[in-house]
Amino acid sequence: MVDAIYLKLSDSIDRSVTLPSELDQPPLQVYSEQEYTMLFLDFYCGYNTIDTAKFTLDVMAGMRYFYFGVDAKFAVNDRDVSISPSIEFYDALIGIKGEVNLSKNWYLPYKFDIGAGD
């Protein structure tokens, strides 16, 4: 079984900021651009321990990978700063999954896991 979530969010702002008149300065051009990226992957291998008409239970083991990164740029007039920090985590997993059959057409799936590592 593989479970994957990928998320990418980005936005930018470009504004002209007028300073108070007593400073006697031209308006500032302010620019900001940011992008956030997240990747979450679970890889499982399982063994079916209980399989009846009403209930199934699988024991699983696997690995989880998590990545989060930020790309940001800030600029005021002609001066700019860029940053790109990121983190990665790896975890070993154990867990259970299965389903409870409520009727002919309805069932309730479940999954529980716990990890250790990073």
Side-chain angles (χ1 to χ4, degrees):
M1 181 171 89
V2 175
D3 192 10
I5 299 172
Y6 176 76
L7 178 66
K8 189 171 194 173
L9 303 170
S10 62
D11 196 8
S12 64
I13 298 171
D14 193 0
R15 300 273 192 273
S16 178
V17 178
T18 304
L19 299 173
S21 59
E22 59 268 6
L23 293 178
D24 194 32
Q25 294 288 324
L28 296 175
Q29 289 302 118
V30 178
Y31 179 76
S32 170
E33 181 180 310
Q34 53 280 334
E35 181 175 278
Y36 305 95
T37 305
M38 194 239 359
L39 177 61
F40 182 88
L41 294 171
D42 284 350
F43 300 96
Y44 296 98
C45 202
Y47 182 78
N48 181 251
T49 57
I50 299 174
D51 193 355
T52 67
K54 289 283 184 188
F55 181 76
T56 64
L57 174 71
D58 301 338
V59 177
M60 304 181 308
M63 184 190 110
R64 175 173 292 142
Y65 171 75
F66 176 77
Y67 169 83
F68 183 75
V70 176
D71 291 321
K73 179 181 179 181
F74 307 97
V76 176
N77 291 342
D78 292 331
R79 297 179 184 210
D80 63 346
V81 174
S82 296
I83 60 171
S84 295
S86 65
I87 57 172
E88 289 182 308
F89 295 106
Y90 298 89
D91 286 338
L93 298 173
I94 58 170
I96 59 172
K97 79 168 190 68
E99 62 184 48
V100 177
N101 291 315
L102 303 174
S103 70
K104 182 180 175 183
N105 295 322
W106 292 90
Y107 65 95
L108 181 64
Y110 65 89
K111 180 180 108 173
F112 173 79
D113 65 47
I114 188 165
D118 288 339

